[in-house]
Amino acid sequence: MLAKPVPLSNETHKDLKILPKFSLEAVNGRHVAPLMLQEFVAAAPFFPIFFLKNQDNSGYNAVAVYGLKEQQNLFVENDTYTGGYLPASIRTYPFTLAQASDEQLVLCVNEQAENVSRTEGQPMFNEDGSNTEFFEGVNKFFRDYIDSNTVSRNIVKQMEEMDLFKADGLQYTDAAGNQHRLDGFFVINREKFDALSDEQFLSLRKFGVLPAIYAHFSSLDRIGALIQKLPVTAA
């Protein structure tokens, strides 16, 4: 995980390079990963998609569920990520954004990440301190991500205004026969969705969100596959 992000600087990081490999640090210890509505169709075949309430109760955020308890990722096996789809929020590693002010975001990097080097890989800056093409590609990825995430959050807010979310604790029985329940998860209420007025339904179709909603419903079938990944010794 991005433990120590620092602002990216063409002075401090003039020789910083990024190795072309996926880092397990980005997924180790994650039991959920942020997901945008635009990713639901691609993500649904691999893991359950739920919604979590923001800590300040200001709305909901979608997440891919990787594990059935905190710090458990059942899609990391033998030092390999087996999740199939990699959420955009994880693909940004070792980079992240930090809020410098109300209107300004700063690109940061985890200098200790295993895919960061000072000797080999894609350089972030040219010898004269200007941005490399690779740096501009990272910048574009974040710009696109911010735009897509803003659209996703706005649509989720409209769905909340339609009262489409309901609490749904994730219940399961592990391989040892023990009963468990994870509270705090929310799903789209299928009954309320099916009962939407024509106007409400058409507004969701206008936003192009219907495929994502149906993908969310189908993703819930992946809970069984997730349970099967639990170690036999699970308590």
Side-chain angles (χ1 to χ4, degrees), residues 137-156:
V138 172
N139 251 345
K140 183 180 185 306
F141 182 91
F142 271 100
R143 286 197 300 269
D144 293 344
Y145 178 80
I146 290 171
D147 290 343
S148 296
N149 196 43
T150 298
V151 171
S152 178
R153 290 170 66 89
N154 288 340
I155 295 175
V156 168

Side-chain angles (χ1 to χ4, degrees), residues 132-213:
T132 63
E133 186 176 341
F134 180 76
F135 180 102
E136 294 301 338
V138 172
N139 251 345
K140 183 180 185 306
F141 182 91
F142 271 100
R143 286 197 300 269
D144 293 344
Y145 178 80
I146 290 171
D147 290 343
S148 296
N149 196 43
T150 298
V151 171
S152 178
R153 290 170 66 89
N154 288 340
I155 295 175
V156 168
K157 184 176 180 180
Q158 296 216 17
M159 292 165 62
E160 181 183 5
E161 292 172 354
M162 293 179 183
D163 195 27
L164 285 181
F165 295 109
K166 72 171 183 178
D168 186 28
L170 202 166
Q171 303 178 61
Y172 68 96
T173 303
D174 65 28
N178 299 306
Q179 299 286 328
H180 300 268
R181 177 184 175 90
L182 278 72
D183 292 316
F185 287 104
F186 291 79
V187 297
I188 296 174
N189 188 322
R190 185 62 187 257
E191 292 182 359
K192 288 190 175 182
F193 172 73
D194 290 338
L196 288 175
S197 67
D198 290 346
E199 182 181 359
Q200 289 174 316
F201 185 84
L202 289 173
S203 70
L204 292 177
R205 190 179 75 174
K206 176 183 177 183
F207 289 124
V209 74
L210 294 182
I213 292 175

